[in-house]
Amino acid sequence: MVVLVTGGAGYIGSHTVVELLNAGHEVLIVDDLSNAKAEVVDRIETITGKRPRFCQADCADKTAMEQIFAANQVDAVIHFAALKAVGESVKKPLSYYRNNLDSAMTMLEVMEEFGCKKFVFSSSATVYGPNNPYPYKEEMKAIESSSPYGWTKVMIERILTDYCTAHPDFCAILLRYFNPIGAHESGLLGDDPNGIPNNLMPYIGRVAAGKLEKLTIFGGDYDTPDGTCQRDYLHVVDLAVGHLKALEFAAGFTGVEAINLGTGSGISVLELVTAFEKANSMKLPYVIGPRRDGDLPAFWADASKAKELLGWEATHTVEDMCRSAWNFAKKSS
């Protein structure tokens, strides 16, 4: 199968490309490199012994996408490309709505034009919004969010649901995943964003490597056991395997299906910091700062549907996540 992976040079995308190549699929990466690096393609080849095709392009550029589809027989699309920082989205809502909605709709239009009918969407637990109780279950209403970033995911899920209603032979898998951290065991791939990281683990890695002075934890007065936010952290390789499993499921499925990818348990920010220190035998300087716009106090997944439909469940421990993240941070520092 030829799989087009938008945002495939990014953090989750690159790990997913590795799993796809190792499973025997051909992969075409489309990435504008706005938050990724071109050398990631070389690193994927080093890990797998196979080189994915790569096109530097904005997947909201319809002309460019039509040219790519015309030159390649694409059987399925895994769509990662999006702006993804919750706090930034509150400050720059128009950028998030324009980028995230345009890229998804352009991709669907071009897929329709070229008869491609399998779509795996990188959604998010943020679609459950601020009012659903946790653990989050797929049958809960996913029609709210606490940030513009999350609203783009809600809207795209709605677009895909309506599209599947209009095109009964189309398949859209909505992977609602939680908080991926960690890195590939080789240390060649990991979360290495441009500028100051918005996500917790790459921030921790840069503090541990001495690139940043200290870690700022956003909020210490939430209604949680230690006052810091609780999240369902899962290893990025487990998440990547989930996308491979979703693609396999999509081969025999039409319609739309939402599936959580998480561990099923919550860990606080302070607990994660402590786990990182223990796993890597170090101490991290940190301070408690003000709350960040758009953050919820706590949530985690009910991941039973993923096990039932995909035969998938998370296998890596928190210590595995912390050790692999530091291994990558050391090698990239």
Side-chain angles (χ1 to χ4, degrees):
M1 183 181 294
V2 178
V3 186
L4 188 154
V5 182
T6 72
Y11 175 44
I12 304 169
S14 61
H15 286 82
T16 300
V17 169
V18 167
E19 298 302 322
L20 291 169
L21 290 171
N22 285 339
H25 296 291
E26 294 182 52
V27 178
L28 169 62
I29 294 173
V30 174
D31 200 305
D32 66 0
L33 300 181
S34 60
N35 197 33
K37 298 175 176 64
E39 58 261 33
V40 165
V41 179
D42 298 326
R43 295 176 184 180
I44 291 170
E45 183 178 21
T46 298
I47 291 168
T48 65
K50 304 172 186 176
R51 189 172 185 85
R53 284 173 267 173
F54 173 70
C55 294
Q56 183 174 349
D58 181 351
C59 61
D61 182 340
K62 190 172 183 180
T63 299
M65 290 304 101
E66 288 174 331
Q67 291 172 348
I68 289 169
F69 269 76
N72 299 274
Q73 176 60 50
V74 177
D75 300 306
V77 171
I78 301 180
H79 184 56
F80 292 105
L83 298 176
K84 62 176 186 176
V86 170
E88 183 184 59
S89 77
V90 176
K91 296 178 175 63
K92 299 179 179 179
L94 291 182
S95 295
Y96 273 70
Y97 286 120
R98 172 67 71 186
N99 181 84
N100 293 3
L101 296 177
D102 276 4
S103 62
M105 289 191 290
T106 298
M107 190 57 57
L108 286 171
E109 288 171 347
V110 176
M111 288 176 70
E112 181 175 328
E113 183 179 344
F114 286 88
C116 182
K117 301 179 186 297
K118 302 297 180 184
F119 191 89
V120 177
F121 176 54
S122 169
S123 192
S124 166
T126 57
V127 302
Y128 290 107
N131 298 315
N132 278 313
Y134 46 84
Y136 291 156
K137 300 180 180 181
E138 291 89 349
E139 60 266 25
M140 292 176 174
K141 288 186 177 180
I143 55 172
E144 292 186 79
S145 187
S146 58
S147 70
Y149 162 76
W151 274 112
T152 67
K153 299 298 186 181
V154 172
M155 292 175 181
I156 294 168
E157 284 200 7
R158 182 73 257 172
I159 290 167
L160 288 166
T161 301
D162 291 342
Y163 188 82
C164 286
T165 299
H167 299 82
D169 59 344
F170 193 84
C171 169
I173 307 299
L174 317 176
L175 294 182
R176 296 172 178 168
Y177 42 83
F178 285 66
N179 291 73
I181 59 175
H184 192 268
E185 62 181 2
S186 66
L188 294 175
L189 296 177
D191 196 356
D192 188 23
N194 297 328
I196 301 297
N198 286 295
N199 293 333
L200 178 60
M201 188 55 83
Y203 204 116
I204 288 175
R206 292 187 188 182
V207 171
K211 291 182 176 180
L212 296 173
E213 179 185 358
K214 60 182 180 295
L215 169 68
T216 299
I217 295 173
F218 297 110
D221 58 351
Y222 287 101
D223 185 18
T224 59
D226 62 19
T228 64
C229 291
Q230 291 177 302
R231 295 291 183 264
D232 188 338
Y233 295 101
L234 74 158
H235 200 292
V236 66
V237 172
D238 283 333
L239 183 58
V241 171
H243 287 78
L244 175 63
K245 295 288 189 181
L247 190 68
E248 293 169 352
F249 175 77
F253 178 79
T254 56
V256 61
E257 195 73 61
I259 304 172
N260 289 338
L261 294 181
T263 66
S265 61
I267 301 168
S268 77
V269 173
L270 277 178
E271 287 174 328
L272 187 64
V273 169
T274 300
F276 187 95
E277 291 176 330
K278 182 178 179 181
N280 299 303
S281 302
M282 65 172 64
K283 296 296 291 184
L284 292 171
Y286 68 85
V287 296
I288 304 294
R291 294 185 181 192
R292 184 172 58 180
D293 291 338
D295 278 345
L296 297 177
F299 58 81
W300 53 85
D302 179 328
S304 56
K305 187 175 181 180
K307 185 175 182 179
E308 176 188 347
L309 290 186
L310 307 182
W312 176 93
E313 58 185 331
T315 61
H316 291 78
T317 66
V318 176
E319 289 72 22
D320 293 334
M321 303 176 207
C322 292
R323 278 192 293 268
S324 64
W326 177 228
N327 183 40
F328 171 75
K330 284 187 297 185
K331 291 189 175 184
S332 59
S333 61

